[in-house]
Amino acid sequence: MNSQQVAFGIDIGGTNTKIGLFDCEGKLLAYHHLSTRTSVKPAEFIEEIAQESNRILKAECAIELGDKRVIGTGAGAPMANYFTGRIEHAPNLGWKDVPLQKLFEKFMKAPAVIENDANLAAVGEARWGSGKNLNDFILITLGTGVGAGLILENKLYRGHNALGAEGGHILIPHEKRRLCSCGGMNHLESFLSASGIKQTIHELTGETWTIEHLGKLFYEHDLRATTIINTIADELISGLASVAILLAPEAFIIGGGVSKLGQPFNDVLEQKFNQQAHFSLKGKVKFITATLSAEKGAIYGGAALIIDEVSK
Ligand SMILES: [Zn+2]
C-alpha cells in the first residue's frame, strides 16, 4: 500500500451506519454517518452506502469508486461472518442470509471483507488504539448490546465458523432472572446493555435515568449512583473473571457508550476483579478505556483489516 492509497471502514449498526475514509497510516480523512435503512432490501441499502462513499471520495480525493487508489472496504455488521462473507441472521437488522461481502464488492467496485462489528473494534484498538502495545487483550463493548473482540497472541481470534467472542451471551450467576435479547436468560447483555442498565437503575431507584445522568451523579459521588455502578460492575466482573482465567489477557479494554464513564468506572471494575478473580490473576489484569472513541472503533478496524488483506 502506498501513501496515495485509501481504504473505507464501514460499520452497519442497528440505528446508524458509519462510513470512514482512511489513509494507509490510519488517519481518518473523512467521516459520515447515515440512518441504517432496514425497510429496504439489503442490496438497496449497500448501494446507498456506496453512493455516499463515492460522494466522500470525490470531495476528499477527487477520485471515484473503481479508481485503483481505493484498495477496498472493511465492513462490520452484527453477525457478519468473515469466513463465509455472509450474514446468516442478524435480528437487530432484520436481515437473513445476506451475501454482504459480495454486495460491497459489487457496489464499491473494489475488494471487501466483512466482520462482526465488535471484532472489528478490537482490530482497530490493536492497530491504532489502546491495544497498540498489548499482545493479548479482550475488548468489551457496552452499548445498545454487549459485544466482545479477542486479540490473542497479536491476532484476532474468531473461533470455529467465526462464532466465537460473543461476549454478550456469557451466562452469569444471578439471583434475578432476566431475559436476554437472544432469548436466553441471565446473559451479560441482560444486565449490561443500555436497556439492562436502565432496568437496574429503575429497580434500585424507582426512577428513569439516562446513562449520562448516571455518569454525572457517579462523578459527584452520589450514593445511589455509586450503588448502581457497584452493582453493574459486580455483574460484569462475574462474567469476565471466568473469561480471564481461561485466556489470561493483559487487559480488558472497555468500549461503547458506557466507556464514557472513564477511568473511575475502570477503577471500580479492577477492584471488583481483584475480589472475584482467581488468585493467580489478582493485580495482573488492567482495565482501560478504548481510545478510538465509543463510536468509531469498528470503522478503524475495518480499514486495518482490508489493508492487511490486500497486502497479504
Ligand atoms: Zn443472550
Side-chain angles (χ1 to χ4, degrees):
M1 191 168 183
N2 64 47
S3 60
Q4 293 207 314
Q5 289 179 305
V6 291
F8 279 103
I10 292 174
D11 178 21
I12 302 176
T15 312
N16 285 312
T17 292
K18 296 147 197 165
I19 304 172
L21 178 67
F22 292 85
D23 72 9
C24 56
E25 306 296 330
K27 186 179 169 208
L28 183 58
L29 303 172
Y31 172 77
H32 188 77
H33 66 90
L34 61 161
S35 295
T36 301
R37 291 207 302 141
T38 49
S39 56
V40 298
K41 286 191 176 137
E44 279 177 51
F45 183 56
I46 306 306
E47 190 174 10
E48 189 181 326
I49 292 173
Q51 285 163 356
E52 190 54 39
S53 303
N54 206 28
R55 196 190 58 72
I56 294 170
L57 202 51
K58 276 189 196 165
E60 278 303 313
C61 308
I63 57 174
E64 294 193 22
L65 291 179
D67 188 296
K68 63 180 185 326
R69 280 170 282 181
V70 183
I71 63 148
T73 308
M79 304 307 290
N81 189 314
Y82 170 83
F83 295 122
T84 64
R86 306 176 81 88
I87 290 182
E88 210 170 290
H89 183 200
N92 290 356
L93 302 172
W95 288 0
K96 268 190 176 165
D97 204 26
V98 176
L100 193 63
Q101 183 182 6
K102 280 215 170 76
L103 290 174
F104 270 112
E105 286 178 340
K106 177 181 172 190
F107 292 114
M108 300 288 282
K109 299 176 185 168
V113 283
I114 66 162
E115 183 62 83
N116 168 288
D117 45 2
N119 284 2
L120 268 195
V123 171
E125 290 297 331
R127 182 66 55 87
W128 293 307
S130 296
K132 218 164 37 182
N133 300 315
L134 301 172
N135 293 323
D136 303 277
F137 73 84
I138 297 168
L139 173 80
I140 301 291
T141 57
L142 302 173
T144 311
V146 175
L150 274 60
I151 301 290
L152 302 176
E153 297 178 343
N154 259 327
K155 270 180 63 186
L156 178 67
Y157 179 82
R158 297 183 173 93
H160 183 59
N161 288 336
L163 294 175
E166 282 297 335
H169 308 287
I170 293 170
L171 188 62
I172 61 166
H174 210 287
E175 73 274 11
K176 290 203 182 90
R177 281 179 62 73
R178 219 189 258 181
L179 199 64
C180 180
S181 65
C182 71
M185 195 64 77
N186 288 4
H187 293 176
L188 261 187
E189 191 165 294
S190 316
F191 299 94
L192 270 301
S193 64
S195 61
I197 293 173
K198 283 180 191 163
Q199 193 176 336
T200 301
I201 293 170
H202 194 261
E203 284 170 6
L204 293 175
T205 67
E207 294 174 14
T208 306
W209 297 358
T210 60
I211 305 293
E212 288 74 22
H213 187 63
L214 169 65
K216 183 177 166 284
L217 292 183
F218 172 54
Y219 271 68
E220 290 166 0
H221 306 289
D222 176 272
L223 211 57
R224 290 187 304 170
T226 305
T227 304
I228 293 160
I229 291 290
N230 277 314
T231 304
I232 64 172
D234 267 327
E235 289 162 345
L236 180 56
I237 294 304
S238 69
L240 299 189
S242 301
V243 172
I245 194 60
L246 194 66
L247 300 172
E250 294 169 78
F252 285 100
I253 298 180
I254 308 298
V258 174
S259 68
K260 289 178 184 161
L261 292 170
Q263 196 54 43
F265 180 57
N266 297 344
D267 292 343
V268 177
L269 293 177
E270 202 162 322
Q271 181 204 341
K272 301 280 180 193
F273 181 84
N274 289 331
Q275 287 165 3
Q276 293 190 39
H278 189 262
F279 72 87
S280 62
L281 296 176
K282 285 184 198 290
K284 294 185 181 138
V285 181
K286 295 182 282 247
F287 287 79
I288 48 188
T289 305
T291 43
L292 298 177
S293 92
E295 293 85 19
K296 297 195 181 109
I299 61 170
Y300 276 90
L305 195 62
I306 190 67
I307 288 168
D308 284 352
E309 289 287 322
V310 297
S311 48
K312 261 182 190 169

